[in-house]
Amino acid sequence: MMEIKFIERKDLKEKPDMSTVKFGSQFTDYMLTASYDEANGWHDWRIEPYGPIQIAPTAVVLHYAQTVFEGLKAYSVDGEAVLFRPDQNFARLNRSLERMSMAKIDEVEALTALKELLKIEKDWIPTGEGQSLYIRPFVFGDDHTLGVHPSDTYKFMILLSPVGGLFSAGTMGTTKIYVEDKFVRAVRGGVGEAKTGGNYAASMKAQEVAEGLGYDQVLWLDGVEQKYLEEVGAMNIFFVKDGELYTPELNGSILPGVTRMSIIEFAKDAGYKVHEARIPLTDLEAGLKDGSVTEVFGAGTAAVVAPVGELNIHGNKYVVGDGNVGPVAQEIYTTLTGIQNGKVEDKFNWIVKVDE
Amino acid sequence: MMEIKFIERKDLKEKPDMSTVKFGSQFTDYMLTASYDEANGWHDWRIEPYGPIQIAPTAVVLHYAQTVFEGLKAYSVDGEAVLFRPDQNFARLNRSLERMSMAKIDEVEALTALKELLKIEKDWIPTGEGQSLYIRPFVFGDDHTLGVHPSDTYKFMILLSPVGGLFSAGTMGTTKIYVEDKFVRAVRGGVGEAKTGGNYAASMKAQEVAEGLGYDQVLWLDGVEQKYLEEVGAMNIFFVKDGELYTPELNGSILPGVTRMSIIEFAKDAGYKVHEARIPLTDLEAGLKDGSVTEVFGAGTAAVVAPVGELNIHGNKYVVGDGNVGPVAQEIYTTLTGIQNGKVEDKFNWIVKVDE
């Protein structure tokens, strides 16, 4: 196992007021860094004071966006730090690195490094209802020439950011979604299934337009025919029709979400019929019209479950169910967050303790 | 007009041996930087010693790839520094910035800043046959939070890199091209027409696979049907059929190249019939089979013109013409580079003098 150098800082920061903290705006005292080159592989692992980094102005990430990231969370359960399925995040990190022609990382070493960082930063995990410590591992190319080619050198970093729940207990809100029929996020044969920066840069204009129209998020359609459901904002999408769950199948242009996967596993176990399929927007629209679609929700690490109250499809506005949080979304949210904060039995073995 | 602060360095670098220099690997003594925030607009313009920059580990560019760039060249003509159509590059920079929801820049200020930098770095413009000073303006988001949204702050930079000609005089070589039918670079509704990092990151895997098969570059097809010509590598594509020029029309997923535009303007003026159209790959293939297509070439700032000697279309290999540089590519190359280095009259008013 690799050695991790610990560079201690003199003064620790004050912890933020968690009742007002904005997602991804506060960071802990330390961050993890490691470097890659062909001769040494991943080396120079450090836990060092959080702060600015030095980068060559020619770094591949600045010009050609060679970057991938992950997002997961640590929770405090009875004073102990736990993680939710971190193996899935590091496995996906490697699939993203492979797709973007970047140096892969040893998943065990990456998890070990994260655990070491969390042992030091344990006090930063907030303990309030729905609160957690958001974890941002990322890798970027920092090679020093301008040719368009994969970098020869990479940097791996992990940042930690305490976050509040998006919703307070029992008051999960709903979002308004705009179905995007002009802009496209990804297409088969592209990089849609990789968690790479370019997918997010490509989504910003549509998000801006949707917000201007009074919507919270965009529902993306497939890039080829612009007829099939893909994702909602930066989350996967589910809906409930006649009591059964539907979500777009993984087709190469959809991000394979860890929350998505967990919802499918939980729902099947709980007796729901789950359909992973190529789903025409017209099917969803017909179900909203005739009332057979009773719930629509996004699924992702940040919100866990984000119920949709209203959908705008080509200018037609549909209220989903009665516009409030539906029972299936509520059940999934309660169960997943319950497993994460130790209030529901972890029958799927999803929880990993930091101290083991 | 803005003020530019000059931070002088003590020791200047030694100039590299231009006969061996690799594209984008050597940089001059100074670089230009400017910062943007909403309150101050673009400000803090500096010409400072070339070197690493400091960046927040949360910078939007590192996670969500909010970055756009440009590429153009300065030439030395009778000891005087000149630029080729820089107004077109800064106009495109702004179109890219707009598409990526980034802060736009004043095109006149950007050109002024570039000229000031070039006045200081004039001695770095190499004077040998086919040599020039490659100019890399770029803008990236460096905001300090992890939410997926356009950055509130941006950095504009210009780097300068002396480059040799890709081909020595009279010995322009040909490249081997692999028609890509699995990976996709861009799709209508996406960001293909913006010069943004994600498009280049998305191209690296296909390039790697093509190189593994013995090819120099990839010919991209459209993302929707994978039937129509788009680009070749990071260049636009042209071919000559029955003595007439063909190039894919700008459709939103193709980069609007300055070299592409200049070739079209020159060729029309020189009496060629030029077709900008949606071109099925099958048309190109039929023309290669029956011999009516006599030349294929890429067009971009780095190579100016890059003749294609061989094309692999779905496993079928086609030699273009006699496999050597054709007369139309040669004429265009000679004229464009001639205008750039002052040997051919600039009848289109494309040349901008740095000292005026």
Side-chain angles (χ1 to χ4, degrees):
Chain A
M1 196 55 65
M2 78 289 194
E3 207 182 303
I4 305 175
K5 194 171 170 186
F6 178 45
I7 297 136
E8 205 166 354
R9 60 189 290 166
K10 281 213 185 90
D11 301 306
L12 297 184
K13 299 182 196 174
E14 222 174 291
K15 308 282 187 295
D17 173 3
M18 289 306 301
S19 66
T20 57
V21 74
K22 229 184 105 192
F23 177 82
S25 65
Q26 302 289 327
F27 295 88
T28 66
D29 292 303
Y30 293 97
M31 60 187 187
L32 180 120
T33 65
S35 298
Y36 174 90
D37 61 48
E38 212 184 307
N40 300 296
W42 285 103
H43 65 286
D44 196 15
W45 296 82
R46 294 160 180 255
I47 291 173
E48 60 187 34
Y50 178 89
I53 56 173
Q54 274 218 336
I55 189 170
T58 49
V60 182
V61 64
L62 295 179
H63 301 264
Y64 310 128
Q66 219 192 4
T67 179
V68 306
F69 71 92
E70 274 301 324
L72 67 164
K73 286 176 173 174
Y75 308 86
S76 179
V77 176
D78 300 330
E80 190 167 27
V82 305
L83 294 160
F84 184 74
R85 313 190 79 176
D87 49 317
Q88 293 294 338
N89 290 92
F90 288 117
R92 185 173 63 184
L93 181 67
N94 264 342
R95 293 198 303 273
S96 297
L97 289 169
E98 163 72 29
R99 178 64 184 87
M100 306 313 292
S101 301
M102 297 167 72
K104 292 212 258 184
I105 199 154
D106 183 306
E107 293 167 31
V108 174
E109 286 195 345
L111 181 53
T112 302
L114 171 57
K115 285 181 173 177
E116 290 307 310
L117 180 62
L118 286 172
K119 281 176 196 167
I120 291 167
E121 298 290 57
K122 208 170 159 174
D123 292 348
W124 278 91
I125 307 177
T127 53
E129 177 77 33
Q131 297 173 357
S132 57
L133 188 63
Y134 181 79
I135 299 163
R136 170 56 59 90
F138 62 113
V139 182
F140 59 88
D142 62 353
D143 196 21
H144 296 200
T145 69
L146 283 186
V148 180
H149 59 74
S151 185
D152 289 326
T153 61
Y154 294 91
K155 186 82 83 185
F156 172 56
M157 297 186 70
I158 302 178
L159 311 178
L160 303 178
S161 175
V163 293
L166 289 194
F167 314 113
S168 21
T171 62
M172 187 159 50
T174 58
T175 57
K176 289 175 68 181
I177 301 291
Y178 183 81
V179 176
E180 180 56 58
D181 50 11
K182 181 180 161 211
F183 296 116
V184 168
R185 176 189 167 272
V187 66
R188 56 92 188 80
V191 295
E193 68 185 331
K195 208 163 173 67
T196 186
N199 291 332
Y200 296 81
S203 76
M204 289 180 183
K205 174 60 77 183
Q207 175 68 21
E208 208 173 59
V209 172
E211 281 174 16
L213 295 168
Y215 290 84
D216 302 304
Q217 302 259 12
V218 158
L219 192 161
W220 298 103
L221 301 177
D222 74 288
V224 174
E225 301 185 53
Q226 296 185 295
K227 280 184 185 168
Y228 299 94
L229 305 186
E230 296 241 314
E231 300 189 18
V232 51
M235 294 182 285
N236 292 116
I237 183 169
F238 284 83
F239 62 86
V240 180
K241 184 180 157 139
D242 298 324
E244 300 179 355
L245 267 169
Y246 291 78
T247 194
E249 66 189 353
L250 301 179
N251 60 359
S253 56
I254 292 175
L255 190 83
V258 178
T259 306
R260 175 189 181 279
M261 176 196 302
S262 305
I263 289 175
I264 292 172
E265 291 174 34
F266 159 72
K268 283 182 176 171
D269 182 75
Y272 287 98
K273 196 153 186 193
V274 181
H275 306 265
E276 294 181 73
R278 192 182 191 205
I279 303 171
L281 174 63
T282 48
D283 281 11
L284 172 61
E285 190 171 12
L288 288 166
K289 268 188 189 152
D290 68 20
S292 59
V293 169
T294 51
E295 299 186 40
V296 178
F297 54 90
T301 292
V304 185
V305 169
V308 176
E310 182 190 318
L311 264 165
N312 183 322
I313 302 179
H314 307 322
N316 300 315
K317 293 180 187 180
Y318 297 94
V319 174
V320 183
D322 61 2
N324 296 314
V325 180
V328 180
Q330 187 65 59
E331 180 188 2
I332 291 171
Y333 179 78
T334 304
T335 306
L336 259 64
T337 57
I339 291 172
Q340 288 161 351
N341 61 34
K343 288 179 187 156
V344 171
E345 191 208 335
D346 176 27
K347 62 189 279 192
F348 304 101
N349 283 310
W350 286 339
I351 295 301
V352 172
K353 292 182 179 176
V354 167
D355 276 325
E356 272 173 9
Chain B
M1 195 57 65
M2 77 288 194
E3 206 182 304
I4 304 175
K5 194 171 169 186
F6 178 45
I7 297 135
E8 204 165 354
R9 60 189 290 166
K10 281 211 184 88
D11 301 306
L12 298 184
K13 298 181 194 175
E14 222 174 292
K15 309 281 188 293
D17 173 3
M18 288 307 300
S19 66
T20 58
V21 75
K22 229 184 103 190
F23 177 82
S25 65
Q26 302 290 328
F27 295 89
T28 66
D29 292 304
Y30 293 98
M31 60 187 187
L32 179 121
T33 65
S35 299
Y36 174 90
D37 61 46
E38 211 185 307
N40 301 296
W42 285 104
H43 65 286
D44 196 14
W45 295 81
R46 294 160 180 255
I47 291 173
E48 60 188 33
Y50 178 88
I53 55 172
Q54 275 218 336
I55 187 171
T58 48
V60 182
V61 64
L62 295 179
H63 300 265
Y64 310 128
Q66 218 192 6
T67 179
V68 305
F69 71 93
E70 274 301 324
L72 68 163
K73 287 175 173 173
Y75 309 86
S76 179
V77 176
D78 302 328
E80 190 168 28
V82 305
L83 293 160
F84 183 75
R85 313 191 78 176
D87 50 316
Q88 294 294 339
N89 290 91
F90 289 118
R92 184 172 63 183
L93 181 67
N94 264 342
R95 293 198 304 273
S96 298
L97 289 168
E98 163 72 28
R99 178 64 184 87
M100 306 312 292
S101 300
M102 297 167 72
K104 293 212 257 183
I105 200 156
D106 184 305
E107 293 167 31
V108 174
E109 286 195 345
L111 181 54
T112 302
L114 171 58
K115 285 182 173 177
E116 289 307 309
L117 180 62
L118 285 172
K119 282 176 194 166
I120 291 167
E121 298 290 58
K122 207 171 162 176
D123 292 347
W124 277 91
I125 307 177
T127 54
E129 177 77 32
Q131 298 173 356
S132 56
L133 189 63
Y134 181 79
I135 299 162
R136 169 56 59 90
F138 62 114
V139 181
F140 58 90
D142 62 353
D143 195 22
H144 295 202
T145 70
L146 284 186
V148 180
H149 59 73
S151 185
D152 289 326
T153 60
Y154 294 92
K155 186 83 83 184
F156 172 56
M157 297 186 69
I158 302 178
L159 311 178
L160 303 177
S161 176
V163 293
L166 289 193
F167 315 111
S168 24
T171 62
M172 186 159 50
T174 57
T175 57
K176 289 175 67 181
I177 302 290
Y178 182 81
V179 176
E180 181 56 57
D181 50 11
K182 181 180 162 211
F183 297 115
V184 168
R185 176 189 167 274
V187 65
R188 57 93 187 77
V191 294
E193 69 185 330
K195 207 162 172 70
T196 184
N199 291 332
Y200 297 80
S203 76
M204 289 181 183
K205 173 61 76 183
Q207 175 68 20
E208 207 174 58
V209 171
E211 282 174 15
L213 295 169
Y215 290 84
D216 304 303
Q217 301 259 12
V218 158
L219 191 161
W220 297 103
L221 301 177
D222 74 288
V224 175
E225 300 185 52
Q226 296 186 294
K227 280 184 188 169
Y228 300 93
L229 305 186
E230 296 242 313
E231 299 189 20
V232 51
M235 293 182 285
N236 294 115
I237 183 169
F238 284 83
F239 63 87
V240 180
K241 183 180 157 140
D242 297 325
E244 300 180 355
L245 267 170
Y246 291 78
T247 193
E249 65 188 355
L250 300 179
N251 60 358
S253 56
I254 293 176
L255 190 84
V258 177
T259 306
R260 175 188 181 280
M261 176 197 301
S262 304
I263 289 175
I264 292 171
E265 292 174 32
F266 159 71
K268 284 182 176 171
D269 182 76
Y272 287 97
K273 195 153 185 192
V274 181
H275 306 265
E276 293 181 74
R278 191 182 190 205
I279 303 171
L281 174 62
T282 48
D283 281 12
L284 172 61
E285 190 171 12
L288 289 167
K289 267 187 189 153
D290 69 19
S292 59
V293 169
T294 51
E295 298 185 41
V296 178
F297 54 90
T301 293
V304 185
V305 169
V308 176
E310 182 190 316
L311 263 166
N312 183 322
I313 303 179
H314 306 323
N316 300 315
K317 294 180 187 180
Y318 297 93
V319 173
V320 184
D322 61 2
N324 296 314
V325 179
V328 180
Q330 187 65 59
E331 179 187 3
I332 291 171
Y333 180 79
T334 303
T335 307
L336 259 64
T337 57
I339 291 172
Q340 288 161 350
N341 61 35
K343 288 178 186 155
V344 172
E345 190 208 337
D346 175 28
K347 63 188 277 194
F348 304 100
N349 283 311
W350 286 340
I351 295 302
V352 172
K353 292 182 180 175
V354 167
D355 277 324
E356 272 171 11

